[in-house]
Amino acid sequence: MKKPQHRPFTPTFPHQPATTLTMTAAPAAKYTEETVLWVKHHTPKLMTFALTRPAEYRFSAGQFSRLGLPEGSGFIWRAYSVVSAEYADTLEYFAVLIEHGPMSARLAELKAGDTLLLDKTATGFFLPERFPDGRDLIMLCTGSGIAPFLSILQQPEIWQRFEHLVLVHSVSYANELIFRETLHKLSQHLLVGDYAHKLRFIPVLTREADAAPLNRRLPELIANGSLNRAIGLPFSAEHSRFMICGNPAMVKDTFQALLNLGFTMHRNRIPGQIMMENGF
Protein backbone atom coordinates (compact mmCIF):
# COMPACT_ATOMS: atom_id res chain seq x y z
CA MET A 1 0.00 0.00 0.00
CA LYS A 2 1.70 3.20 -1.17
CA LYS A 3 1.23 6.32 0.91
CA PRO A 4 2.92 9.70 0.64
CA GLN A 5 5.91 9.96 2.90
CA HIS A 6 6.04 12.59 5.61
CA ARG A 7 8.79 13.90 7.83
CA PRO A 8 8.77 11.66 10.94
CA PHE A 9 7.40 13.12 14.15
CA THR A 10 10.32 13.47 16.55
CA PRO A 11 9.19 14.60 19.99
CA THR A 12 11.78 15.06 22.71
CA PHE A 13 10.11 15.54 26.03
CA PRO A 14 11.33 14.86 29.56
CA HIS A 15 8.55 12.80 31.12
CA GLN A 16 6.65 9.66 30.20
CA PRO A 17 2.94 8.80 30.38
CA ALA A 18 1.63 6.33 32.92
CA THR A 19 0.93 3.83 30.14
CA THR A 20 4.65 3.31 29.53
CA LEU A 21 6.48 1.04 31.95
CA THR A 22 10.15 1.43 32.77
CA MET A 23 11.53 -1.68 34.40
CA THR A 24 14.94 -2.19 35.96
CA ALA A 25 14.89 -5.93 35.39
CA ALA A 26 13.65 -8.04 32.52
CA PRO A 27 15.14 -11.54 32.46
CA ALA A 28 16.46 -12.42 29.02
CA ALA A 29 14.51 -15.68 29.16
CA LYS A 30 11.29 -13.64 28.96
CA TYR A 31 12.00 -11.76 25.75
CA THR A 32 13.69 -12.07 22.38
CA GLU A 33 15.48 -9.45 20.30
CA GLU A 34 13.78 -8.99 16.92
CA THR A 35 14.83 -7.14 13.78
CA VAL A 36 12.79 -4.31 12.25
CA LEU A 37 11.94 -5.32 8.67
CA TRP A 38 10.32 -2.10 7.45
CA VAL A 39 8.88 1.17 8.72
CA LYS A 40 6.21 3.38 7.09
CA HIS A 41 5.33 6.90 8.25
CA HIS A 42 1.80 7.61 7.00
CA THR A 43 1.47 11.01 8.66
CA PRO A 44 3.80 12.84 11.08
CA LYS A 45 2.14 10.94 13.94
CA LEU A 46 1.00 7.62 12.43
CA MET A 47 3.36 4.80 11.60
CA THR A 48 3.35 1.08 10.93
CA PHE A 49 6.29 -1.27 11.21
CA ALA A 50 7.06 -4.97 11.08
CA LEU A 51 9.38 -7.23 13.06
CA THR A 52 10.76 -10.68 12.54
CA ARG A 53 8.62 -13.31 14.25
CA PRO A 54 10.19 -16.05 16.35
CA ALA A 55 9.00 -19.50 15.28
CA GLU A 56 7.68 -20.15 18.80
CA TYR A 57 5.76 -16.86 19.18
CA ARG A 58 2.01 -17.46 19.50
CA PHE A 59 -0.88 -15.01 19.85
CA SER A 60 -4.63 -14.88 19.23
CA ALA A 61 -6.10 -12.20 16.96
CA GLY A 62 -7.05 -9.33 19.27
CA GLN A 63 -4.12 -9.73 21.66
CA PHE A 64 -1.18 -7.38 22.11
CA SER A 65 2.58 -7.71 22.34
CA ARG A 66 4.88 -5.95 24.75
CA LEU A 67 7.71 -4.26 22.87
CA GLY A 68 10.72 -2.84 24.61
CA LEU A 69 13.97 -0.93 24.34
CA PRO A 70 16.91 -0.48 26.68
CA GLU A 71 16.51 2.68 28.79
CA GLY A 72 19.33 3.69 31.08
CA SER A 73 20.03 0.80 33.42
CA GLY A 74 16.68 -0.82 32.66
CA PHE A 75 14.11 -1.15 29.91
CA ILE A 76 11.07 0.71 28.63
CA TRP A 77 8.10 -1.43 27.61
CA ARG A 78 4.91 -0.55 25.75
CA ALA A 79 1.92 -2.65 24.67
CA TYR A 80 0.93 -2.72 20.97
CA SER A 81 -1.89 -4.75 19.48
CA VAL A 82 -0.76 -7.08 16.71
CA VAL A 83 -2.02 -6.11 13.25
CA SER A 84 -0.81 -9.33 11.61
CA ALA A 85 -2.84 -12.49 11.18
CA GLU A 86 -2.19 -15.33 13.61
CA TYR A 87 -0.58 -17.30 10.79
CA ALA A 88 1.64 -14.49 9.40
CA ASP A 89 5.41 -14.92 9.16
CA THR A 90 6.09 -11.44 10.51
CA LEU A 91 4.65 -9.23 13.26
CA GLU A 92 3.13 -5.92 12.17
CA TYR A 93 2.16 -3.05 14.49
CA PHE A 94 0.46 0.34 14.23
CA ALA A 95 1.64 3.17 16.45
CA VAL A 96 0.31 6.65 17.12
CA LEU A 97 3.24 8.77 18.24
CA ILE A 98 2.35 10.58 21.45
CA GLU A 99 3.72 13.91 22.59
CA HIS A 100 5.82 13.64 25.74
CA GLY A 101 6.13 9.88 25.12
CA PRO A 102 9.67 8.51 25.46
CA MET A 103 8.72 5.34 23.56
CA SER A 104 7.17 7.45 20.80
CA ALA A 105 10.36 9.51 20.53
CA ARG A 106 12.35 6.31 20.05
CA LEU A 107 9.89 4.78 17.58
CA ALA A 108 9.90 7.97 15.50
CA GLU A 109 13.57 7.28 14.74
CA LEU A 110 13.04 3.57 14.02
CA LYS A 111 14.38 2.20 10.73
CA ALA A 112 14.80 -1.14 9.01
CA GLY A 113 17.63 -3.14 10.54
CA ASP A 114 17.12 -1.79 14.07
CA THR A 115 16.11 -4.15 16.84
CA LEU A 116 13.26 -4.18 19.39
CA LEU A 117 12.69 -6.44 22.35
CA LEU A 118 9.64 -8.71 22.15
CA ASP A 119 8.11 -10.20 25.29
CA LYS A 120 7.65 -13.90 24.58
CA THR A 121 4.09 -13.91 25.91
CA ALA A 122 1.22 -12.21 24.08
CA THR A 123 -1.47 -10.81 26.37
CA GLY A 124 -5.12 -9.82 26.38
CA PHE A 125 -8.69 -11.08 26.45
CA PHE A 126 -10.09 -8.88 23.67
CA LEU A 127 -11.16 -11.95 21.73
CA PRO A 128 -14.40 -12.25 19.71
CA GLU A 129 -14.59 -15.98 20.39
CA ARG A 130 -15.47 -15.10 23.98
CA PHE A 131 -18.95 -14.16 22.75
CA PRO A 132 -21.02 -17.37 22.93
CA ASP A 133 -23.48 -16.28 20.24
CA GLY A 134 -24.53 -13.33 18.08
CA ARG A 135 -25.19 -12.51 14.44
CA ASP A 136 -23.65 -9.04 13.95
CA LEU A 137 -20.13 -8.20 15.16
CA ILE A 138 -19.81 -4.41 15.48
CA MET A 139 -16.23 -3.21 15.99
CA LEU A 140 -15.94 0.37 17.28
CA CYS A 141 -12.55 2.05 17.44
CA THR A 142 -10.58 5.28 17.47
CA GLY A 143 -7.00 5.82 16.35
CA SER A 144 -4.72 2.86 16.98
CA GLY A 145 -7.69 0.95 18.38
CA ILE A 146 -8.22 -0.39 14.86
CA ALA A 147 -5.12 -2.60 15.15
CA PRO A 148 -6.66 -5.66 16.86
CA PHE A 149 -9.59 -5.59 14.43
CA LEU A 150 -7.24 -5.73 11.45
CA SER A 151 -5.84 -8.95 12.88
CA ILE A 152 -9.28 -10.34 13.69
CA LEU A 153 -10.52 -9.65 10.15
CA GLN A 154 -7.82 -11.92 8.73
CA GLN A 155 -9.17 -14.95 10.58
CA PRO A 156 -11.54 -17.09 8.44
CA GLU A 157 -13.54 -18.32 11.44
CA ILE A 158 -14.78 -14.83 12.32
CA TRP A 159 -16.31 -14.43 8.85
CA GLN A 160 -17.85 -17.87 8.98
CA ARG A 161 -19.37 -17.32 12.39
CA PHE A 162 -20.99 -13.88 11.98
CA GLU A 163 -23.48 -12.91 9.31
CA HIS A 164 -22.44 -9.25 9.35
CA LEU A 165 -19.13 -7.62 10.30
CA VAL A 166 -19.07 -3.87 10.87
CA LEU A 167 -15.90 -1.84 11.41
CA VAL A 168 -16.35 1.76 12.56
CA HIS A 169 -13.11 3.76 12.70
CA SER A 170 -13.23 7.26 14.19
CA VAL A 171 -10.31 9.62 13.53
CA SER A 172 -9.85 13.37 13.44
CA TYR A 173 -8.93 13.86 9.78
CA ALA A 174 -9.36 11.93 6.54
CA ASN A 175 -5.61 11.38 6.06
CA GLU A 176 -5.66 9.29 9.25
CA LEU A 177 -7.81 6.62 7.59
CA ILE A 178 -4.67 4.82 6.48
CA PHE A 179 -6.13 1.31 6.26
CA ARG A 180 -8.77 1.83 3.57
CA GLU A 181 -6.71 -0.03 0.98
CA THR A 182 -5.94 -2.82 3.44
CA LEU A 183 -9.66 -3.33 4.02
CA HIS A 184 -10.40 -3.14 0.30
CA LYS A 185 -7.83 -5.87 -0.38
CA LEU A 186 -9.65 -8.28 1.94
CA SER A 187 -11.78 -9.18 -1.08
CA GLN A 188 -8.61 -10.65 -2.64
CA HIS A 189 -7.44 -12.39 0.53
CA LEU A 190 -6.82 -16.09 -0.03
CA LEU A 191 -8.56 -17.19 3.17
CA VAL A 192 -11.30 -14.59 3.73
CA GLY A 193 -11.92 -13.13 0.28
CA ASP A 194 -15.03 -15.21 -0.32
CA TYR A 195 -16.65 -13.61 2.74
CA ALA A 196 -15.48 -10.01 2.27
CA HIS A 197 -18.94 -8.89 1.13
CA LYS A 198 -20.07 -9.29 4.75
CA LEU A 199 -17.96 -6.32 5.89
CA ARG A 200 -19.36 -2.79 6.28
CA PHE A 201 -16.73 -0.13 6.88
CA ILE A 202 -17.96 3.12 8.43
CA PRO A 203 -15.44 6.00 8.70
CA VAL A 204 -16.05 8.79 11.21
CA LEU A 205 -14.20 12.13 11.00
CA THR A 206 -14.56 14.31 14.08
CA ARG A 207 -12.67 17.41 12.84
CA GLU A 208 -13.61 17.48 9.16
CA ALA A 209 -17.35 18.01 9.23
CA ASP A 210 -17.71 18.27 5.46
CA ALA A 211 -15.59 15.22 4.62
CA ALA A 212 -17.84 12.44 5.96
CA PRO A 213 -21.53 11.99 6.83
CA LEU A 214 -20.60 11.05 10.41
CA ASN A 215 -18.59 13.73 12.20
CA ARG A 216 -19.32 13.45 15.91
CA ARG A 217 -17.85 11.32 18.68
CA LEU A 218 -18.98 7.70 18.68
CA PRO A 219 -20.95 7.98 21.95
CA GLU A 220 -23.01 10.82 20.45
CA LEU A 221 -23.59 8.91 17.21
CA ILE A 222 -24.84 5.94 19.19
CA ALA A 223 -27.05 8.03 21.45
CA ASN A 224 -28.75 9.93 18.60
CA GLY A 225 -29.17 6.87 16.38
CA SER A 226 -26.93 8.15 13.56
CA LEU A 227 -24.51 5.23 13.77
CA ASN A 228 -27.29 2.66 13.75
CA ARG A 229 -28.79 4.25 10.63
CA ALA A 230 -25.42 4.45 8.87
CA ILE A 231 -24.71 0.79 9.55
CA GLY A 232 -28.14 -0.23 8.38
CA LEU A 233 -28.58 -2.99 10.94
CA PRO A 234 -30.93 -2.73 13.92
CA PHE A 235 -29.10 -3.01 17.24
CA SER A 236 -30.53 -5.74 19.45
CA ALA A 237 -29.47 -7.75 22.48
CA GLU A 238 -30.23 -10.93 20.56
CA HIS A 239 -28.09 -10.22 17.49
CA SER A 240 -25.60 -7.38 18.18
CA ARG A 241 -22.17 -7.93 19.70
CA PHE A 242 -19.99 -4.86 20.31
CA MET A 243 -16.21 -4.68 20.63
CA ILE A 244 -14.79 -1.27 21.64
CA CYS A 245 -11.12 -0.30 21.44
CA GLY A 246 -9.49 3.12 21.51
CA ASN A 247 -8.62 6.01 23.80
CA PRO A 248 -9.88 5.58 27.37
CA ALA A 249 -12.38 8.46 27.21
CA MET A 250 -14.01 7.07 24.08
CA VAL A 251 -14.15 3.55 25.49
CA LYS A 252 -15.74 4.75 28.72
CA ASP A 253 -18.30 7.01 27.02
CA THR A 254 -19.17 4.53 24.27
CA PHE A 255 -19.65 1.80 26.84
CA GLN A 256 -22.02 4.07 28.76
CA ALA A 257 -23.95 4.94 25.59
CA LEU A 258 -24.50 1.23 24.92
CA LEU A 259 -25.48 0.63 28.55
CA ASN A 260 -28.08 3.37 28.15
CA LEU A 261 -29.55 1.40 25.26
CA GLY A 262 -29.91 -1.69 27.43
CA PHE A 263 -26.81 -3.64 26.42
CA THR A 264 -24.57 -5.24 29.04
CA MET A 265 -20.91 -6.06 29.58
CA HIS A 266 -19.91 -9.57 28.56
CA ARG A 267 -18.39 -11.66 31.32
CA ASN A 268 -17.29 -15.26 31.26
CA ARG A 269 -20.10 -16.45 33.50
CA ILE A 270 -22.63 -13.77 32.59
CA PRO A 271 -22.97 -13.43 28.81
CA GLY A 272 -23.51 -9.90 27.50
CA GLN A 273 -23.15 -7.88 24.33
CA ILE A 274 -20.14 -5.60 25.01
CA MET A 275 -16.41 -6.24 25.17
CA MET A 276 -13.90 -3.42 25.48
CA GLU A 277 -10.22 -2.55 25.71
CA ASN A 278 -8.27 0.69 25.92
CA GLY A 279 -6.10 1.20 22.84
CA PHE A 280 -3.41 2.97 24.88
Side-chain angles (χ1 to χ4, degrees):
M1 174 172 63
K2 294 199 173 193
K3 295 282 182 183
Q5 297 296 306
H6 300 267
R7 180 172 58 84
F9 175 68
T10 55
T12 53
F13 300 95
H15 69 277
Q16 65 185 50
T19 50
T20 300
L21 301 177
T22 300
M23 302 176 63
T24 57
K30 292 187 177 181
Y31 65 79
T32 59
E33 186 174 289
E34 301 305 322
T35 301
V36 177
L37 298 173
W38 53 260
V39 178
K40 295 179 183 178
H41 289 272
H42 303 272
T43 77
K45 292 186 179 182
L46 304 183
M47 65 181 290
T48 51
F49 59 94
L51 305 179
T52 51
R53 178 177 181 174
E56 67 278 8
Y57 190 78
R58 297 289 181 269
F59 70 94
S60 295
Q63 289 189 312
F64 57 85
S65 305
R66 286 201 328 139
L67 304 181
L69 285 164
E71 177 82 348
S73 61
F75 302 85
I76 182 170
W77 293 94
R78 184 75 163 86
Y80 294 91
S81 294
V82 186
V83 173
S84 310
E86 294 176 9
Y87 45 81
D89 294 330
T90 63
L91 296 171
E92 183 177 344
Y93 302 93
F94 172 35
V96 176
L97 302 180
I98 306 299
E99 283 191 324
H100 311 298
M103 189 67 163
S104 290
R106 302 281 293 275
L107 288 182
E109 301 294 334
L110 199 67
K111 61 184 183 300
D114 290 346
T115 59
L116 284 173
L117 306 180
L118 172 68
D119 191 307
K120 290 183 177 180
T121 304
T123 311
F125 300 95
F126 194 60
L127 309 170
E129 57 263 33
R130 290 180 56 216
F131 286 127
D133 53 14
R135 184 192 67 189
D136 307 329
L137 182 63
I138 302 167
M139 298 164 279
L140 307 172
C141 58
T142 55
S144 62
I146 194 175
F149 297 131
L150 295 173
S151 181
I152 288 168
L153 287 173
Q154 296 179 76
Q155 297 303 124
E157 54 269 25
I158 201 72
W159 299 85
Q160 295 164 5
R161 179 180 173 193
F162 289 93
E163 186 174 330
H164 303 108
L165 298 175
V166 180
L167 176 61
V168 183
H169 191 200
S170 176
V171 296
S172 296
Y173 302 101
N175 69 340
E176 296 171 349
L177 295 169
I178 66 172
F179 294 106
R180 280 183 178 273
E181 187 176 345
T182 300
L183 296 171
H184 178 71
K185 286 184 175 179
L186 287 174
S187 62
Q188 305 165 30
H189 194 287
L190 182 63
L191 299 180
V192 306
D194 289 343
Y195 308 101
H197 63 278
K198 292 185 176 184
L199 178 65
R200 306 182 189 194
F201 175 58
I202 310 293
V204 176
L205 303 178
T206 58
R207 296 188 183 180
E208 282 190 276
D210 298 330
L214 300 180
N215 47 53
R216 295 178 180 273
R217 294 182 69 234
L218 288 177
E220 297 176 61
L221 296 174
I222 290 171
N224 65 24
S226 297
L227 185 61
N228 201 165
R229 290 190 293 273
I231 292 173
L233 295 170
F235 291 170
S236 72
E238 179 183 3
H239 297 305
S240 304
R241 299 295 175 265
F242 299 92
M243 297 183 73
I244 313 169
C245 187
N247 70 74
M250 174 282 244
V251 171
K252 176 178 177 290
D253 295 345
T254 299
F255 176 55
Q256 186 60 55
L258 291 172
L259 289 180
N260 293 343
L261 293 180
F263 298 105
T264 60
M265 182 72 174
H266 175 75
R267 304 182 188 281
N268 288 338
R269 296 186 179 181
I270 308 175
Q273 302 83 35
I274 309 169
M275 198 181 301
M276 58 187 183
E277 182 170 85
N278 289 334
F280 52 85

